[in-house]
Amino acid sequence: MSLGAIPGTGPATSPLPVIKKSTARTMADLPVGRTLVMGILNITEDSFSDGGKYATADEAISHGLRMYYGGADIIDVGGESTRPGAEPVDPAVEQGRILPVITALAKAGAIISVDTMHSSTARAALAAGAHIVNDVSGLTHEADMPALIAETGAPYVLMHRRGDAASMTTEANYTDVVTEVIDELLALRETFLAAGVAPEQLILDPGLGFAKDHEHNWELLRALDRFTALGHRVLVGTSRKRFLGALLTVDSKPASPTDRDAATAATSALAAANGAWGVRVHDVPGNLDAVKVATAWSAARVPAL
């Protein structure tokens, strides 16, 4: 495949890794027997960790290919920052950022999730080659999203969040965070099931950092078995988040986002050991190693027959 065939590339643009010829892949091609690693690809100006770093199609495709060829099982492509305080992005702008990248990565054979809160963007991304819809909107999901997921049959990440980017920090009020998050996720689940979504399409995400303070995040991680017991695949996203920075404070300053990668890998290993279907991360190699270690450790504890 020539680079010129890929949207956003050509002789006047920055060089990309050689794209290996590949056939289209499906969810059935994902590895089994271990927790999956979902690589984060933010095509944004203001994401908390890497905003602006992959803001052009060429930069984003290049980084997506590095993650894919470096072992990422899934590439999670997003064009709108969802950090607290982030400004909303018009779906047309979001689609202009992500669709050329999804098309290119799909041609390379990557399994892709689209990180979007907008049903119009989800539909366009699935048509461009995405496989999964990863929606962080939580209780504020768009009204027609359940019908879209039922119609397309796409796997859907159902994440817990209260409020929106502007208000979610003030929404972090719980008496029993684990029970309340589970109850609210189950209520959301019923909305999607009532629209015709099959239970096996749903992937649950407790929404670490979204309307949660630092201790809420730790409580949810310690209760991961309660989420896996709900009968759905569970996705865990701790990567470089503020609660890890607070844990790693040095001289009264939280560790920078990139200095949180080792701690992220530790949480990925623990999530894998506790039954997570996938972990969503920035550093693919380190977290892939972590889940492989967790898998080998768990297998070693099973007595031979």
Side-chain angles (χ1 to χ4, degrees), residues 17-28:
V18 175
I19 296 180
K20 303 171 186 177
K21 186 177 181 181
S22 180
T23 56
R25 298 171 70 230
T26 70
M27 294 286 288

Side-chain angles (χ1 to χ4, degrees), residues 22 55 67 86 102 128 130 143-145 147 169 181 186 192 196 205 228 239 260 271 305:
S22 180
M67 287 195 290
I102 289 172
D144 56 347
M145 186 67 86
T169 300
V181 167
L186 292 178
F192 279 79
D205 183 339
T228 58
S239 191
R260 304 169 193 172
L305 298 178

Side-chain angles (χ1 to χ4, degrees), residues 7 13 35 46 52 61 66 72 95 124 128 189 195 207 221 227 249 269 271 303:
T13 58
T35 296
D46 57 345
I61 293 167
R66 283 195 295 271
Q95 291 166 37
R189 180 182 69 176
L221 287 172
F227 288 88
T249 296

Side-chain angles (χ1 to χ4, degrees), residues 159-161 172 174 176-183 185 205-228 230 234-238 241 243 270-271 274:
M159 196 193 82
H160 179 273
R161 183 185 78 167
Y174 305 90
D176 180 340
V177 65
V178 175
T179 298
E180 290 174 55
V181 167
I182 287 174
D183 287 347
L185 273 177
D205 183 339
L208 303 174
F210 290 84
K212 321 286 190 308
D213 65 22
H214 299 334
E215 183 53 34
H216 293 148
N217 294 324
W218 290 117
E219 289 185 50
L220 290 166
L221 287 172
R222 288 191 288 265
L224 192 59
D225 60 331
R226 291 181 60 184
F227 288 88
T228 58
L230 297 175
V234 175
L235 177 66
V236 174
T238 64
K241 289 190 174 177
F243 77 105
L270 291 166
N274 284 275

Side-chain angles (χ1 to χ4, degrees), residues 71-230:
D73 301 304
I74 302 165
I75 308 296
D76 190 46
V77 181
E80 177 178 17
S81 175
T82 55
R83 63 172 176 78
E87 292 295 323
V89 172
D90 186 274
V93 173
E94 178 189 34
Q95 291 166 37
R97 292 173 175 176
I98 69 173
L99 294 182
V101 178
I102 289 172
T103 299
L105 296 179
K107 286 181 178 178
I111 302 294
I112 301 161
S113 63
V114 57
D115 180 359
T116 185
M117 297 181 285
H118 305 293
S119 55
S120 61
T121 299
R123 182 180 293 278
L126 291 170
H131 305 76
I132 304 168
V133 177
N134 179 17
D135 181 1
V136 306
S137 63
L139 300 173
T140 62
H141 68 276
E142 291 188 353
D144 56 347
M145 186 67 86
L148 171 67
I149 301 306
E151 173 195 337
T152 61
Y156 178 78
V157 179
L158 185 67
M159 196 193 82
H160 179 273
R161 183 185 78 167
R162 292 176 175 176
D164 56 21
S167 66
M168 63 177 158
T169 300
T170 62
E171 297 279 354
N173 301 302
Y174 305 90
T175 301
D176 180 340
V177 65
V178 175
T179 298
E180 290 174 55
V181 167
I182 287 174
D183 287 347
E184 290 172 19
L185 273 177
L186 292 178
L188 275 173
R189 180 182 69 176
E190 291 309 307
T191 299
F192 279 79
L193 295 180
V197 175
E200 58 269 22
Q201 288 177 251
L202 298 178
I203 301 163
L204 303 185
D205 183 339
L208 303 174
F210 290 84
K212 321 286 190 308
D213 65 22
H214 299 334
E215 183 53 34
H216 293 148
N217 294 324
W218 290 117
E219 289 185 50
L220 290 166
L221 287 172
R222 288 191 288 265
L224 192 59
D225 60 331
R226 291 181 60 184
F227 288 88
T228 58
L230 297 175

